[in-house]
Amino acid sequence: MEPSTYSSPAVLRRVELAALLLVDVVMLIAAFVFYYMARFRWGWLNPGSEPASPFVAMFLMTGFWIVAFLFSGLYKEKFAPSRFDELALLFKVITVGSLIVFFVMFGNALEAGSARPNLLFYWATIFVSVATGRMLVRSIQQV
């Protein structure tokens, strides 16, 4: 019997990376949509100025986060020995990235009193969504 080429470690690693990337993109888009709706449609946060093209903003933000995850090592081979280590690194990357994004993109568009709740809500939506997606991928991997 010939061993299956689909179960080689290199192929499995590519499948794992593709799954992580796909889940990260989907969860980042979901987080952006949730934040956008909460801020501009539902009135949960002080809206400030709405972006001219939400879709362009969504794709730019998703691209920023994927590049940030790539440079931080979240797509390295077996970078994290445990889920806790992965969540700790994700926490750091999203915290620093949120501060960068917020002050570059949204800092001037918000009033001083509404900046803190907007930043916290943005950070939480990104962290919870990406962490949930990654933990789902890791749980499926172990089955």
Side-chain angles (χ1 to χ4, degrees):
M1 225 180 202
E2 187 176 313
S4 174
T5 58
Y6 294 110
S7 62
S8 72
V11 172
L12 291 177
R13 179 65 188 150
R14 282 189 220 127
V15 169
E16 175 190 355
L17 283 176
L20 276 176
L21 185 62
L22 178 66
V23 166
D24 284 349
V25 167
V26 168
M27 297 310 272
L28 286 166
I29 289 172
F32 180 87
V33 169
F34 183 71
Y35 176 75
Y36 182 86
M37 296 299 287
R39 184 172 172 198
F40 297 112
R41 299 292 181 254
W42 301 331
W44 292 359
L45 304 162
N46 185 354
S49 61
E50 189 169 350
S53 175
F55 290 111
V56 171
M58 177 177 64
F59 289 118
L60 288 175
M61 297 305 300
T62 301
F64 167 80
W65 285 112
I66 295 301
V67 169
F69 294 166
L70 180 68
F71 283 131
S72 67
L74 283 166
Y75 296 118
K76 282 186 180 175
E77 184 173 349
K78 300 186 183 192
F79 83 95
S82 72
R83 290 180 185 191
F84 179 78
D85 291 338
E86 184 171 6
L87 287 177
L89 180 57
L90 192 63
F91 180 88
K92 289 183 230 177
V93 171
I94 290 176
T95 299
V96 171
S98 292
L99 290 172
I100 292 168
V101 163
F102 210 79
F103 290 113
V104 168
M105 303 276 299
F106 304 122
N108 295 331
L110 294 172
E111 298 172 11
S114 69
R116 201 173 313 162
N118 271 282
L119 175 60
L120 182 62
F121 191 78
Y122 179 76
W123 175 87
T125 57
I126 297 291
F127 181 75
V128 169
S129 64
V130 174
T132 300
R134 283 182 163 258
M135 291 305 106
L136 181 64
V137 169
R138 299 298 182 206
S139 296
I140 291 171
Q141 254 182 332
Q142 290 184 353
V143 173

